């Protein structure tokens, strides 16, 4: 018997893995009375196991690739402890910090930057629109010329997302996504 993959795409699988909240599975009688569940129907321990398996596959890619995938797929905020407010997701914040620090030692090596400016450059790519600081403000806060901030931000963007000039040069996000795509499709979790 040939089972179909659980997820329609790698994007769907990664979104599930980093957004799974561990809700307990409803009793079988409740699910039968309600009809079919939307989505793939993974909840409770099955959902937790599947999310953990996908996250373990991502972790095997290495620290930087894992941070990039977390930055792209994990929620930026989580429900507050009392449920009435949102709080920043520490997993997402650490991922952004890892990427910014790696930018310091690679694409921005030799550049005079602060951790705040590097974080701002990375957030330009991964944060929600309302969480981003524009380049003019980044330059003002850092005491650098706007052109310098623009140059640094471009370097970080091309390093992560690739370049489109005379020919496509893949960025490290593309490489991480291609690798996890191959792993999850080859394991039969996702449709190609």
């Amino acid at each position: 018997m040939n089972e179909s993959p659980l997820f329609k795409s790698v994007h769907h699988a990664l979104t599930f893995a980093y957004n799974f909240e561990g809700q307990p599975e409803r009793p079988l009688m409740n699910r039968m009375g309600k009809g079919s569940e939307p989505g793939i129907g993974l909840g409770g321990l099955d959902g937790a196991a599947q999310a953990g398996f996908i996250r373990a596959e991502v972790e095997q890619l290495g620290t930087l690739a894992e941070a990039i995938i977390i930055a792209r797929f994990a929620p930026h905020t989580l429900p507050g402890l009392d449920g009435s407010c949102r709080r920043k997701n520490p997993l997402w914040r650490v991922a952004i910090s890892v990427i910014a620090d790696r930018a310091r030692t690679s694409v921005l090596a030799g550049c005079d930057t602060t951790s705040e400016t590097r974080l701002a450059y990375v957030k330009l790519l991964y944060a929600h629109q309302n969480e981003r600081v524009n380049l003019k403000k980044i330059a003002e806060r850092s005491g650098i010329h706007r052109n310098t901030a623009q140059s640094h931000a471009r370097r970080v963007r091309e390093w992560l997302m690739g370049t489109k000039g005379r020919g496509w040069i893949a960025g490290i996000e593309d490489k991480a996504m291609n690798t996890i795509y191959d792993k999850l499709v080859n394991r039969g979790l996702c449709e190609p």
Side-chain angles (χ1 to χ4, degrees), residues 27-42:
L28 180 60
M29 289 301 289
N30 289 358
R31 286 182 282 149
M32 289 177 68
K34 184 83 170 170
S36 63
E37 292 185 63
I40 58 173
L42 283 177

Side-chain angles (χ1 to χ4, degrees), residues 54-77:
I54 294 167
R55 286 179 172 212
E57 291 291 322
V58 172
E59 185 178 351
Q60 290 177 10
L61 301 179
T63 304
L64 180 59
E66 180 183 22
I68 289 167
I69 290 172
I70 290 169
R72 182 62 66 203
F73 291 96
H76 302 188
T77 60

